[in-house]
Amino acid sequence: ETTQVDEELARQDAQELHEAEKERWGTDRDSKLMSLISTKSYSHLRAVFTEYEKLTQADMIDILKDELSGEFLEAMLALVKVVFYCPKFFAERVYHAMRPRGDAATLIRCLMTRAEADMPLIRKAYKKTYGA
């Protein structure tokens, strides 16, 4: 993934997303939201979401909760959390997987897929969030 972002394009995408939101976001394949999440890098999405938050003066998580529902909402919330701070997202997953009703498969998946990528950052986010 490239980390270079065209800030002007990010602002333009945020403006277009805002215009689309006025008519309600759709989950159809032609919606601006679907176009963004299926064609842009995490770096670009981070820039678009940041610009969108500036434009609307609202938190992206709150906006999604107002606009979407069901499994699509859950998927979009996960995407936004990963885009903004991947280690914290996985720290949350590990924490909930280790709870009494946790999911061992989720815990194993998190540990195996992130072990070499960013486990030290996940450990740090976990300790900061959960104090353990």
Side-chain angles (χ1 to χ4, degrees):
E1 169 189 333
T2 179
T3 56
Q4 292 182 339
V5 174
D6 180 341
E7 296 296 330
E8 186 55 39
L9 180 58
R11 277 190 285 283
Q12 179 182 343
D13 284 342
Q15 183 63 44
E16 290 174 10
L17 188 61
H18 183 56
E19 292 299 319
E21 181 232 348
K22 291 177 183 176
E23 299 172 15
R24 304 295 294 169
W25 282 344
T27 58
D28 63 306
R29 66 183 180 91
D30 296 326
S31 75
K32 181 63 180 179
L33 181 61
M34 291 301 290
S35 174
L36 283 172
I37 65 172
S38 61
T39 62
K40 303 298 182 183
S41 69
Y42 279 5
S43 298
H44 184 80
L45 290 174
R46 187 178 308 109
V48 170
F49 294 160
T50 299
E51 287 297 323
Y52 190 85
E53 286 180 340
K54 289 178 190 174
L55 189 63
T56 61
Q57 298 181 350
D59 181 73
M60 196 69 196
I61 299 288
D62 294 334
I63 293 165
L64 291 172
K65 288 178 180 177
D66 288 343
E67 293 295 324
L68 305 173
S69 62
E71 291 178 354
F72 187 62
L73 169 62
E74 293 304 315
M76 288 304 304
L77 290 174
L79 175 69
V80 168
K81 289 177 181 179
V82 167
V83 163
F84 276 114
Y85 194 60
C86 187
K88 185 173 181 187
F89 171 79
F90 282 102
E92 289 174 3
R93 291 286 181 246
V94 168
Y95 175 79
H96 290 293
M98 293 189 322
R99 303 298 295 161
R101 289 195 210 140
D103 179 15
T106 297
L107 179 60
I108 292 167
R109 190 170 42 254
C110 286
L111 296 176
M112 296 301 295
T113 61
R114 307 314 298 183
E116 293 183 25
D118 50 11
M119 191 53 74
L121 295 173
I122 294 169
R123 187 178 308 118
K124 183 177 177 182
Y126 187 97
K127 287 180 179 181
K128 181 178 180 182
T129 304
Y130 303 107

